[in-house]
Amino acid sequence: MTSRCRFTALKIFGLFVLLTACQAQSSTPTRDAESAGPVTATTPADLHRQALTRDPQAVDDGLRGALTDFRDKFKCNNISGCKPEEVLLGFGWQALPQLQMMFAQAPSQAPYRSRIIKVIAEMRAPMTLGTLAKGLQDRDADVRGYAAYGLALLEAQAFRPILMRTGQDPVPVWQAPARVGALWGAGRLGDSASALGFVAYLKALAQENMAGPALAWGVELCMRPESPDCREVLPTIARHASFTARRQAARAMAARPLIAYAPALIELTADPVHSIARVAQAALVQLAGVDLPDAAAWRVWCAQQHCQDKGLGAVKE
């Protein structure tokens, strides 16, 4: 046998030995495998149970949908309302982590950013105190106003001096929502001067054409049972150029109709915004006990009831 043939034979023999060793090792159970016990096959029933098992960290489908709709400007806005906001409030504190995360990730100009703070405020959750306190320093006036509102709802007396100072600072009209919220908040926390200042500030804003958002927010606060008495200022706000301010004033007057509101409500029955006109008409029907067809007929009724003479005096009773 030549040297080349011997080399080839040795090479083949070596490969044979290596292959045999590897086969023996793979067929011998290791100590770890032996200690692990027998392997149980996964059955279709097991897979079905795993598919139906609820992830404790998962977000409820209804909550996820409300969070999505909350950011949709067509489903949540100051014109047509915000149904998702009601859904989120229904979830209560369960929605807080998602809302706080959404606020942290929201673009600075996102229209839903300030509304998040309003929802958080209305949940009255003690663990949101830090979020609301930070909101007082936000660049957005609406965020600051809603944060002040939330701190007052939490009875956070430590923030009363800050709210009092904020309520006294003169600001441009586009910053008015922050001052409105601060005055109302300080008043609710016990400062009577702020409570009076809240109503006085609404009277002043009623003369500003650009104050619609602040007035709508202020009247919304007026409708809360713990609010200062806003009855005197509502008829004036009902004549504001902004339809959102007029609509909110109409709702506030309709919630508790007074004869002193009749002249303002009669004007609103002819409002070009039909939703406002309907609210005013319903309030007058509740007040008078009769359903009259138009503003002219209501003016005749008003003259018969001398409602023009029962204006401010009746409101202050």
Side-chain angles (χ1 to χ4, degrees):
M1 183 181 294
T2 64
S3 59
R4 176 174 294 183
C5 290
R6 286 196 299 271
F7 176 78
T8 302
L10 289 171
K11 186 175 181 181
I12 292 173
F13 179 77
L15 290 172
F16 175 78
V17 172
L18 180 61
L19 179 61
T20 303
C22 291
Q23 187 175 8
Q25 183 177 2
S26 63
S27 62
T28 304
T30 62
R31 181 173 300 176
D32 291 340
E34 292 173 351
S35 62
V39 177
T40 303
T42 302
T43 66
D46 294 331
L47 294 174
H48 182 68
R49 280 194 296 270
Q50 292 174 16
L52 295 179
T53 300
R54 185 175 180 85
D55 181 358
Q57 302 299 322
V59 178
D60 183 277
D61 288 341
L63 175 56
R64 183 185 295 108
L67 290 167
T68 299
D69 292 345
F70 189 77
R71 288 172 286 187
D72 188 331
K73 64 182 179 181
F74 297 104
K75 296 181 179 180
C76 186
N77 55 69
N78 292 330
I79 307 301
S80 57
C82 186
K83 293 281 182 65
E85 181 176 317
E86 300 174 11
V87 177
L88 292 172
L89 286 171
F91 276 97
W93 296 5
Q94 181 183 346
L96 277 175
Q98 285 74 32
L99 286 170
Q100 290 172 321
M101 183 183 304
M102 187 192 296
F103 180 77
Q105 296 174 350
S108 59
Q109 299 301 318
Y112 60 83
R113 187 171 176 272
S114 61
R115 193 184 290 270
I116 293 173
I117 298 299
K118 183 173 183 283
V119 174
I120 289 175
E122 292 183 342
M123 289 182 177
R124 301 193 186 199
M127 69 282 290
T128 63
L129 191 64
T131 300
L132 297 172
K134 187 176 180 181
L136 288 180
Q137 308 301 322
D138 200 89
R139 60 184 294 183
D140 188 314
D142 289 326
V143 170
R144 298 199 303 275
Y146 294 145
Y149 165 63
L151 290 168
L153 292 182
L154 287 176
E155 300 290 347
Q157 288 290 343
F159 291 89
R160 175 174 158 182
I162 298 174
L163 299 185
M164 290 171 60
R165 289 195 299 271
T166 303
Q168 293 170 0
D169 290 339
V171 294
V173 67
W174 58 88
Q175 297 285 335
R179 189 177 176 188
V180 168
L183 284 166
W184 185 89
R188 189 181 188 280
L189 291 176
D191 182 54
S192 57
S194 294
L196 293 173
F198 170 75
V199 178
Y201 190 44
L202 291 183
K203 286 182 183 178
L205 288 176
Q207 310 306 318
E208 300 282 350
N209 286 338
M210 300 300 292
L215 285 169
W217 167 229
V219 176
E220 183 177 344
L221 291 172
C222 285
M223 295 173 71
R224 296 193 64 91
E226 63 269 56
S227 175
D229 188 347
C230 300
R231 289 177 295 174
E232 185 178 350
V233 73
L234 291 177
T236 303
I237 297 175
R239 299 179 175 93
H240 194 265
S242 168
F243 93 89
T244 56
R246 296 198 309 276
R247 182 177 63 183
Q248 201 70 286
R251 289 172 176 172
M253 290 188 292
R256 187 187 173 191
L258 298 173
I259 191 68
Y261 294 158
L265 289 170
I266 290 170
E267 289 184 35
L268 290 178
T269 60
D271 198 281
V273 180
H274 296 304
S275 60
I276 297 177
R278 286 196 300 270
V279 171
Q281 176 75 12
L284 285 168
V285 170
Q286 182 180 352
L287 188 63
V290 295
D291 190 354
L292 301 179
D294 52 32
W298 281 116
R299 290 190 185 96
V300 173
W301 169 84
C302 185
Q304 293 172 345
Q305 299 296 319
H306 304 286
C307 59
Q308 292 283 3
D309 300 328
K310 300 175 182 178
L312 294 180
V315 169
K316 291 179 179 179
E317 290 177 0

